[in-house]
Amino acid sequence: MSAAVGRPRALVVDDSEGMREVIVGFLDAAGWDADTAEDGRRGLALLEAGAAPDLVLLDVMLPELAGLEVLRRMREFAPDLPVVMLSVVGTASTIVEAMRLGALDYLNKPFDEDDLEQVLERARSRRSAQKADPGLEGPLLEGAAWDDIRAVLEQIKDTDVSVLIQGESGVGKEVVARAIHESSSRRG
């Protein structure tokens, strides 16, 4: 079945068939198309074969290849792909590791539909911005603050100057540094 024009696409990787069906139903109602995989190896195989989802919903607890390892491997060939981790048990160390690996968000199952709706909207707006300007989109920064930072990045991207990035822990300094590098003439 072909996807409707303009509908974003998600990849749902979860070993529970029931959970995959619930998520796919929600995605369809929210205007998304979806592909599914029952384990991490199959999810990676779909991506490596050319699937280009706008978002991956990835279970942490998968057979054979754990969700965090799948995320780590995804980052090797799809570093900017928004990934939302899903888990029944959300330990602090797992959540921190998922975020360190670049997960967009982490939702505990069963998740609130409003929370999933917000994540879908963030993923949709991020992918749209990445497609419009792939060098200057930051996965953690949105809205007016990111617009201000993007304006500064536009001014410095083609200059040969050192840049000092300051801020509290967790505010996105690494994201800004990556955006500067990706938009510069030295990115290669």
Side-chain angles (χ1 to χ4, degrees):
M1 182 181 300
S2 66
V5 175
R7 283 174 60 108
R9 178 166 289 283
L11 171 60
V12 180
V13 183
D14 197 302
D15 60 327
S16 166
E17 183 178 354
M19 182 56 71
R20 288 193 310 268
E21 289 174 359
V22 167
I23 294 171
V24 168
F26 181 84
L27 289 168
D28 184 52
W32 287 66
D33 291 317
D35 296 310
T36 63
E38 64 280 358
D39 60 46
R41 292 189 194 287
R42 177 75 180 131
L44 288 169
L46 288 170
L47 293 172
E48 290 170 349
D54 297 294
L55 172 68
V56 175
L57 296 163
L58 176 62
D59 190 13
V60 171
M61 303 295 288
L62 293 170
E64 296 181 37
L65 194 59
L68 289 176
E69 181 58 26
V70 174
L71 177 58
R72 189 175 286 109
R73 291 183 186 186
M74 280 181 187
R75 289 295 169 238
E76 293 174 10
F77 58 89
D80 298 323
L81 179 61
V83 177
V84 175
M85 303 301 293
L86 305 172
S87 182
V88 173
V89 181
T91 65
S93 62
T94 303
I95 295 169
V96 168
E97 181 64 9
M99 295 304 167
R100 189 187 70 73
L101 290 170
L104 174 68
D105 211 330
Y106 193 105
L107 295 176
N108 287 316
K109 295 192 269 184
F111 46 81
D112 183 75
E113 288 184 357
D114 290 337
D115 292 340
L116 183 55
E117 184 74 40
Q118 289 175 357
V119 167
L120 294 176
E121 189 52 43
R122 284 179 53 209
R124 186 186 333 236
S125 65
R126 181 197 297 176
R127 289 302 271 184
S128 296
Q130 285 173 337
K131 289 175 183 175
D133 190 358
L136 292 179
E137 183 54 33
L140 301 177
L141 303 173
E142 299 175 337
W146 181 239
D147 292 340
D148 293 342
I149 292 169
R150 190 183 338 225
V152 172
L153 293 177
E154 278 293 327
Q155 293 173 356
I156 65 170
K157 73 178 186 178
D158 293 323
T159 61
D160 189 20
V161 298
S162 297
V163 177
L164 174 65
I165 304 169
Q166 294 180 311
E168 307 238 350
S169 179
V171 297
K173 295 181 297 290
E174 183 179 333
V175 172
V176 173
R178 195 173 321 137
I180 291 170
H181 174 74
E182 289 300 317
S183 66
S184 77
S185 59
R186 294 182 181 180
R187 70 181 164 268

